Amino acid sequence: MLQYVEYAAEGQHKASIIWLHGLGDSGEGFLPIAPELDLPDELGVRFIFPHAPEQAVTINGGMVMRAWYDIKTMDLDNRADETGVRESAEAVAALIQGELDKGIAPERIILAGFSQGGVIALHVAPRLEYKLGGVMALSTYMCVPQKLAAEAKQSELNIFMAHGSQDPVVAMSAGQQAYSVLHKQGYQVSWQDYPMAHQVCYEELIAIRQWLIATLS
């Protein structure tokens, strides 16, 4: 099971948000966002911030760091190592199962991810046997988008996407390509972009908060 840090629910635990970090980061990187979002106590949201396993990353000279998969090239079509993505997807699915085992209904679980974490979130949710409450995909792209139609087990999915128009790491066009694939699949996808780089901005946090409250209420 993936190791993680958490931000406990206020009062009774009624919903869970599993938030996956980006390359070289850790669960602690996004932990401060939980109190900043200031979600209503009555939603009973528990935040879980898993740590990706440590592995060598080719584009970073083979340096070992936390990564959900290896990146061997910056070419979008081959950027995400499919084998690594599928291994991390299984680990995240096990984490979701842990929440189900606690009695949290799937529609009360949100899977969120930034950059590499967003790739995993977009890979996992459509392929699960049950429908999650929603997916939050931030500054990210898709792995093997051409395989989604054949592998998807969910016909409906609520997806929040956001991207920086000045992102030098994951071009906004990569996010827009993912949006197009997901929309074609028939999913309910919303798109937001902001004049920012590879990051999360204040205006985006406001939109995330609104979406989370609407989705979990």
Side-chain angles (χ1 to χ4, degrees):
M1 183 70 76
L2 292 168
Q3 299 297 304
Y4 58 83
V5 291
E6 67 174 295
Y7 186 82
E10 293 291 338
Q12 183 184 355
H13 176 201
K14 302 176 184 175
S16 298
I17 298 173
I18 299 172
W19 197 311
L20 311 176
H21 63 76
L23 177 65
D25 200 357
S26 71
E28 278 96 352
F30 276 103
L31 183 61
I33 274 185
E36 283 182 33
L37 286 171
D38 190 28
L39 296 177
D41 292 352
E42 57 267 23
L43 291 180
V45 177
R46 174 187 184 228
F47 286 84
I48 300 148
F49 300 95
H51 307 303
E54 293 187 343
Q55 59 181 297
V57 177
T58 303
I59 61 159
N60 287 343
M63 186 182 300
V64 175
M65 61 185 65
R66 292 198 180 277
W68 296 107
Y69 51 86
D70 189 19
I71 299 178
K72 296 174 181 170
T73 172
M74 291 304 286
D75 170 49
L76 180 61
D77 292 335
N78 300 293
R79 186 180 302 190
D81 170 55
E82 184 179 349
T83 300
V85 168
R86 292 186 185 276
E87 288 174 354
S88 285
E90 286 184 13
V92 171
L95 204 58
I96 296 171
Q97 185 61 49
E99 295 308 290
L100 296 175
D101 293 344
K102 290 182 176 71
I104 303 301
E107 62 268 21
R108 306 284 296 162
I109 298 174
I110 303 291
L111 183 58
F114 175 82
S115 196
Q116 262 206 349
V119 172
I120 303 301
L122 288 176
H123 191 87
V124 171
R127 293 168 171 84
L128 292 172
E129 298 286 352
Y130 44 83
K131 180 186 171 186
L132 295 180
V135 179
M136 205 158 60
L138 312 177
S139 303
T140 194
Y141 56 103
M142 286 184 75
C143 175
V144 292
Q146 71 277 12
K147 295 184 180 181
L148 177 64
E151 296 181 357
K153 295 178 181 176
Q154 295 304 313
S155 59
E156 297 180 355
L157 205 53
N158 179 10
I159 304 172
F160 174 101
M161 296 190 74
H163 216 110
S165 59
Q166 300 161 16
D167 193 331
V169 178
V170 178
M172 190 166 75
S173 58
Q176 290 170 325
Q177 181 194 80
Y179 170 87
S180 178
V181 171
L182 294 162
H183 190 266
K184 185 178 179 181
Q185 188 67 21
Y187 296 149
Q188 177 188 339
V189 195
S190 66
W191 174 270
Q192 292 75 212
D193 56 71
Y194 304 91
M196 63 178 183
H198 197 60
Q199 63 193 99
V200 176
C201 68
Y202 177 71
E203 291 77 13
E204 183 180 2
L205 280 179
I206 293 173
I208 287 171
R209 182 178 189 274
Q210 291 172 341
W211 180 80
L212 286 172
I213 293 172
T215 302
L216 293 174
S217 293

